[in-house]
């Protein structure tokens, strides 16, 4: 069963390949990519959308995804563009996976800039931080007692006010010099740089690959029903 995954800055393709052996990994999706796949002699039967483009090219449209699903293709989405489209199309059968999808689907977040970033076109490495990652990590810091509720809210408001290509935790914390108490600002900075801070988009990408792997394994183990001739 041919499987295609569109991935980029949320999870390095070489690392993604280790989570779903046998799949094809393509760069972040843009409009026309799925139609191109479906026009091939052997189109994929499963598509995973993690990352996508939307500034330098047209973003993948819901209608393009629906056309593929109408032909029996199963489509998953998580992390970034995939989470956005899954929240729009889950009622039509697209499968959403992870924290970012859950937040869009529930209405907890709505703005596209929550997942928007800029990235190097060759290495696919991000050059800023997605707001949703900053949000999830700050909430984790609040639960751990690293930062208080007032300071957490102030930090998130400051990060959200930054234009997304310049948005980083460091930039937001720099703006809060003299506004947030220095010990609290330093504790939050240390936590956000630490391995304990969650990376929502990365974790969701891995969860999508795990879900697709389980789906493939389930199909392989489905019992074969034989019909005896009368």
């Amino acid at each position: 069963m041919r499987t295609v995954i569109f991935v980029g800055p949320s999870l390095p393709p070489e690392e993604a390949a280790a989570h779903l052996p046998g799949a094809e990994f393509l760069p972040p999706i843009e409009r026309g990519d799925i139609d191109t796949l479906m026009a091939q002699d052997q189109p994929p039967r499963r598509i995973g959308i993690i990352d996508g483009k939307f500034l330098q090219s047209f973003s993948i449209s819901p209608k393009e995804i629906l056309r593929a699903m109408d032909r029996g293709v199963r489509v998953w989405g998580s992390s970034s563009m995939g989470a956005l489209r899954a929240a729009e199309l889950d009622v039509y059968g697209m499968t959403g996976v992870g924290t970012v999808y859950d937040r869009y689907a529930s209405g907890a977040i709505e703005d596209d800039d929550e997942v928007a970033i800029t990235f190097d076109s060759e290495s696919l490495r991000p050059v800023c931080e997605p707001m949703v990652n900053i949000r999830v990590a700050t909430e984790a810091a609040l639960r751990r007692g690293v930062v208080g509720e007032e300071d957490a809210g102030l930090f998130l408001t400051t990060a959200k006010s930054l234009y997304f290509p310049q948005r980083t935790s460091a930039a937001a914390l720099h703006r809060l010099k003299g506004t947030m108490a220095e010990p609290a600002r330093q504790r939050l900075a240390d936590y956000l740089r630490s391995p304990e801070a969650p990376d929502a988009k990365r974790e969701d990408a891995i969860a999508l690959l795990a879900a697709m792997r389980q789906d493939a394994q389930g199909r392989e183990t489905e019992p074969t029903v034989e019909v005896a001739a009368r």
Side-chain angles (χ1 to χ4, degrees):
M1 186 185 302
R2 186 183 177 195
T3 298
V4 173
I5 311 293
F6 292 92
V7 66
S10 292
L11 186 70
E14 60 274 14
E15 185 175 345
H19 290 276
L20 192 59
E24 300 170 41
F25 293 90
L26 300 179
I29 196 168
E30 59 184 271
R31 189 167 301 180
D33 282 348
I34 290 181
D35 283 345
T36 297
L37 287 174
M38 298 309 296
Q40 294 174 353
D41 290 339
Q42 294 183 329
R45 304 310 302 161
R46 306 191 313 156
I47 295 174
I49 301 173
I50 296 172
D51 295 302
K53 300 177 183 178
F54 75 98
L55 274 182
Q56 64 271 53
S57 57
F58 290 113
S59 62
I60 187 71
S61 71
K63 289 184 178 180
E64 193 171 336
I65 297 171
L66 287 171
R67 284 196 293 269
M69 292 197 295
D70 285 344
R71 291 178 57 182
V73 178
R74 301 191 66 189
V75 184
W76 283 257
S78 77
S79 304
S80 192
M81 181 61 71
L84 278 169
R85 291 294 177 258
E88 296 168 332
L89 302 177
D90 53 5
V91 294
Y92 300 103
M94 185 172 176
T95 301
V97 179
T99 297
V100 181
Y101 159 74
D102 287 342
R103 293 193 179 206
Y104 274 116
S106 68
I109 58 174
E110 298 179 348
D111 300 336
D112 290 357
D113 83 307
E114 290 282 334
V115 294
I117 60 168
T118 53
F119 57 89
D120 181 88
S121 59
E122 293 187 4
S123 68
L124 299 180
R125 293 186 180 279
V127 296
C128 58
E129 294 177 51
M131 184 65 208
V132 70
N133 272 18
I134 295 173
R135 194 178 297 282
V136 170
T138 303
E139 291 170 2
L142 180 61
R143 289 192 301 271
R144 287 171 172 250
V146 173
V147 67
E149 188 170 348
E150 183 177 348
D151 284 339
L154 179 61
F155 171 67
L156 290 175
T157 299
T158 302
K160 184 72 171 178
S161 71
L162 297 172
Y163 182 40
F164 78 86
Q166 284 85 46
R167 183 180 288 145
T168 64
S169 297
L173 287 165
H174 180 75
R175 285 199 174 190
L176 290 172
K177 277 188 174 182
T179 302
M180 181 186 291
E182 189 58 25
R185 195 179 73 91
Q186 191 59 55
R187 283 197 306 272
L188 181 56
D190 291 343
Y191 175 76
L192 294 176
R193 287 195 297 263
S194 73
E196 286 75 27
D199 182 339
K201 290 179 73 171
R202 172 187 170 83
E203 292 169 5
D204 286 3
I206 293 172
L208 177 143
L209 298 171
M212 294 185 72
R213 185 176 64 248
Q214 291 171 0
D215 174 77
Q217 291 170 346
R219 289 172 179 271
E220 289 173 358
T221 58
E222 285 180 359
T224 301
V225 178
E226 297 183 359
V227 179
R230 292 180 179 273

